[in-house]
Amino acid sequence: MDFAQTGQLDRRGIKHPDITKPSAVVFFGSALNKLLASGHDLDTLARNKYDLRNVVAGFISDLRSNRETDNYSALFAAHADQFATSAELSMIFDEQSYAFNQP
């Protein structure tokens, strides 16, 4: 799969500010190659490129969600003995206590 064909899938609608363009090209190219290897023909994929883009965007969203969940869980797993909860200690954030911060 060349850059032009991969770019059609990525050009509009799939935002990926956290991924470099070369990595995105490799990811989309790999996704298209796997679809072609599984028996889908390029003409059908091209006709359904908007649906394909939506499915790939959903898949990317799921991957990001899994990454965020795993990173969050890893934070607590690494230092589990340092985290504790208690009803005796609380923090109250009252907007009256903070001065307006001019941007």
Side-chain angles (χ1 to χ4, degrees):
M1 193 63 43
D2 67 0
F3 179 76
Q5 292 169 327
T6 302
Q8 288 296 320
L9 182 61
D10 181 35
R11 187 166 306 161
R12 297 182 191 130
I14 300 178
K15 304 289 182 194
H16 49 82
D18 55 334
I19 305 296
T20 63
K21 188 69 171 181
S23 294
V25 169
V26 169
F27 176 82
F28 293 125
S30 180
L32 286 174
N33 285 332
K34 289 194 185 291
L35 287 169
L36 293 171
S38 68
H40 299 283
D41 63 306
L42 188 57
D43 292 334
T44 303
L45 293 175
R47 273 195 309 272
N48 297 302
K49 66 183 176 185
Y50 298 110
D51 293 330
L52 178 61
R53 184 184 62 204
N54 291 338
V55 169
V56 170
F59 180 65
I60 291 170
S61 178
D62 291 344
L63 290 174
R64 283 188 179 124
S65 178
N66 290 342
R67 180 190 62 197
E68 290 169 3
T69 301
D70 291 346
N71 287 346
Y72 186 76
S73 297
L75 171 69
F76 290 106
H79 305 287
D81 59 335
Q82 297 177 10
F83 291 96
T85 58
S86 172
E88 297 172 7
L89 179 63
S90 64
M91 298 179 78
I92 299 173
F93 294 98
D94 182 17
E95 64 184 57
Q96 299 297 328
S97 301
Y98 297 95
F100 175 71
N101 201 4
Q102 182 71 32

